[in-house]
Amino acid sequence: MTSIFAVTDNEDILALQPRLTAADAGVRRIALIDLADLEEPDGLLWLVDRLRQDPAEDVRAEAARLLEAWEDEAVVQALCEALTDPAPAVQSAAAQSLSLLKTAAAGRVILPWTTHADVSVRIAAFRALRELRFAEAAPAASAALEDADASVRREAVGVLGWLKQLDALPALAQLASDDPDTEVRRAATGALGLASDAEVLPALRQALHDPAWQVREEAATTLGKVGHSDAGPALVEALNDDYWQVRLRATRSLGRLRFAPARDALIDTLGHRISNLRKEAALALGELNDRGAVAALQAAQDDGDPEVRKAVRIALSQLQ
């Protein structure tokens, strides 16, 4: 360990040596924090060394956390290696630090780890690449859509969504329809929102009938984002979903689409027992710009919920 200190003449770092090499792991951990506070490049050598070699899990985890601010290739590589540490706390700290990196150079170091044999490593690598929005990760993410592990597939969907990879739309539509995992279907359904044409509407309409309400909710939201009036009839049908969360997103999307044929169904929703739904229905009716909704909105001006009354006032002001 003394060889590491031999490469620096920084007095502040050398002053920490007794504590950094102390027998007590707690002392070593606090000393690492003090070392990182110096923000001296020479201190990286010791932080990386402790991440790789300290016998105490808490010290290794602290080193992983403290390295989050450094983008050096050697640091990124050490953090990637720490994803295979036997201690879950170290793995978690390394994954978190990797997710905070911002440079393409860091992405190139992380990318090979997306094919690691360990599922948790692949998950962490894709999560870090998603935050980086690293374009070179697109081929690896596309390949990972067929990963045996659902969590890896979900992270791969996230990468492709952030990168707005239009070439991946057919594969994402397939996942949205057929993946056995609810969260993968939900993520893939949301990622279809990067489309700007009607190509994804069949998959999204199908997702509105998914057995999991979370997927149906995501589909209702995404149909509004895609922005095609052809989605309107399916969203009107979704106003009868068994889950109010799905109805709420469908209501919001109908307003976003300004789908005029939804007026009567939205007026019916003004009478729903859940106030959030009534509020969204009022706002959506205002977006339709149809004065045929004025009477129903006026009748709702005395709603018992102040947020609903506010939404009604906004809608009426839009229609006058």
Side-chain angles (χ1 to χ4, degrees):
M1 289 190 289
T2 55
S3 61
I4 292 178
F5 292 100
V7 302
T8 183
D9 58 2
N10 186 296
E11 293 183 0
D12 291 329
I13 293 177
L14 293 172
L16 288 171
Q17 182 176 359
R19 293 167 55 212
L20 290 168
T21 58
D24 187 288
V27 173
R28 296 199 305 276
R29 187 182 71 81
I30 298 301
L32 280 184
I33 296 173
D34 292 339
L35 177 65
D37 285 344
L38 297 177
E39 297 185 351
E40 290 288 345
D42 285 352
L44 284 179
L45 286 170
W46 189 254
L47 288 169
V48 170
D49 181 84
R50 291 302 85 199
L51 173 59
R52 285 176 166 152
Q53 299 190 46
D54 199 282
E57 169 186 332
D58 288 348
V59 177
R60 298 197 306 278
E62 191 65 58
R65 284 189 287 269
L66 293 170
L67 286 168
E68 69 179 26
W70 299 92
E71 305 265 358
D72 302 57
E73 182 175 337
V75 172
V76 179
Q77 181 63 29
L79 287 169
C80 288
E81 292 170 4
L83 296 174
T84 65
D85 192 281
V90 180
Q91 297 172 20
S92 178
Q96 175 63 18
S97 290
L98 286 169
S99 73
L100 298 174
L101 301 178
K102 304 297 182 186
T103 67
R108 294 186 186 96
V109 177
I110 297 167
L111 185 58
W113 293 82
T114 59
T115 58
H116 194 275
D118 192 314
V119 167
S120 66
V121 174
R122 299 200 300 276
I123 292 170
F126 276 120
R127 189 169 296 160
L129 291 169
R130 180 192 67 198
E131 296 300 324
L132 277 174
R133 302 190 185 187
F134 183 57
E136 294 173 36
S142 294
L145 295 180
E146 299 182 5
D147 196 281
D149 185 85
S151 295
V152 176
R153 297 197 301 276
R154 185 170 67 246
E155 293 298 335
V157 168
V159 169
L160 293 169
W162 277 108
L163 292 177
K164 301 186 183 300
Q165 289 291 306
L166 297 178
D167 291 347
L169 283 175
L172 291 170
Q174 189 71 34
L175 281 184
S177 300
D178 298 337
D179 197 277
D181 184 83
T182 295
E183 282 304 304
V184 174
R185 295 197 307 277
R186 184 195 62 76
T189 297
L192 292 177
L194 62 92
S196 58
D197 55 41
E199 175 187 355
V200 297
L201 292 184
L204 289 171
R205 290 193 192 100
Q206 182 175 339
L208 278 178
H209 298 281
D210 193 278
W213 70 265
Q214 297 93 334
V215 178
R216 301 197 302 274
E217 178 187 35
E218 194 69 41
T221 301
T222 306
L223 281 166
K225 292 178 180 177
V226 172
H228 278 270
S229 60
D230 288 348
L235 288 167
V236 171
E237 183 181 349
L239 293 179
N240 295 313
D241 194 277
D242 291 339
Y243 283 77
W244 69 267
Q245 295 93 332
V246 180
R247 295 186 183 194
L248 186 147
R249 298 301 180 91
T251 299
R252 189 175 295 168
S253 288
L254 285 166
R256 186 170 183 170
L257 294 176
R258 297 182 177 178
F259 187 65
R263 185 194 67 187
D264 291 344
L266 290 172
I267 287 174
D268 288 343
T269 305
L270 271 179
H272 197 277
R273 62 183 178 81
I274 294 178
S275 61
N276 278 347
L277 254 178
R278 300 198 302 274
K279 179 184 75 172
E280 291 296 336
L283 293 172
L285 285 167
E287 292 294 333
L288 296 190
N289 197 29
D290 184 341
R291 288 191 56 79
V294 169
L297 287 166
Q298 288 175 334
Q301 289 182 106
D302 295 325
D303 191 279
D305 188 290
E307 290 298 315
V308 177
R309 296 197 299 272
K310 179 180 178 181
V312 168
R313 289 196 299 272
I314 292 171
L316 285 171
S317 69
Q318 290 175 291
L319 298 178
Q320 291 173 354

